[in-house]
Amino acid sequence: QLQASGGGLVQAGGSLRLACVVSGRTSSTSVMGWFRQAPGKEREFVATIPWNGVGIAYADSVKGRFAILREAAKNTVYLQMSALKPEDTGIYYCAAAGSMWLPRKADEYNYWGQGTLVTVSS
């Protein structure tokens, strides 16, 4: 089970930190990812990180502004978002996959959290 939190309303240029707590980590949740979905658009990849900390991947649109972090002792993955833009608005989902690489496609993830809404005002 994945539980995401931390969304809210922020002005452009501001920051937010999202958190995703994972219950019952197994080999099928070896990699964690963040996705987002804007109104009227498809769900898109944001960032991914394995629990072993080897390798990280970001979407080009968030590189240099977002950071994905994991705190294994707390079974928690974070998405630190800075320099937010109105186009970052959407529902942010955390997801888990059992993978040997860093998946970027939604259908490569087996488990999903409920989503948390991020709204960036201009």
Side-chain angles (χ1 to χ4, degrees):
Q1 184 176 4
L2 282 64
Q3 183 72 36
S5 62
L9 173 64
V10 64
Q11 288 188 333
S15 300
L16 276 177
R17 187 177 78 161
L18 308 182
C20 177
V21 179
V22 182
S23 301
R25 278 173 52 196
T26 68
S27 60
S28 63
T29 58
S30 59
V31 177
M32 299 298 297
W34 284 98
F35 287 75
R36 67 186 182 187
Q37 189 166 16
K41 295 188 176 181
E42 293 186 353
R43 193 169 298 188
E44 65 173 357
F45 167 76
V46 175
T48 182
I49 186 171
W51 283 110
N52 64 14
V54 177
I56 291 175
Y58 295 99
D60 289 343
S61 58
V62 306
K63 278 182 182 176
R65 301 188 298 120
F66 290 12
I68 187 169
L69 308 156
R70 92 272 186 269
E71 192 168 358
K74 294 185 177 182
N75 289 342
T76 302
V77 174
Y78 302 97
L79 185 68
Q80 180 65 49
M81 306 184 293
S82 303
L84 283 161
K85 304 175 182 180
E87 52 262 45
D88 294 318
T89 293
I91 299 174
Y92 283 69
Y93 298 90
C94 62
S99 177
M100 297 295 289
W101 57 88
L102 299 174
R104 294 171 179 253
K105 297 181 180 179
D107 60 9
E108 295 180 281
Y109 288 79
N110 303 313
Y111 304 97
W112 291 84
Q114 83 286 4
T116 185
L117 177 62
V118 172
T119 303
V120 184
S121 63
S122 57

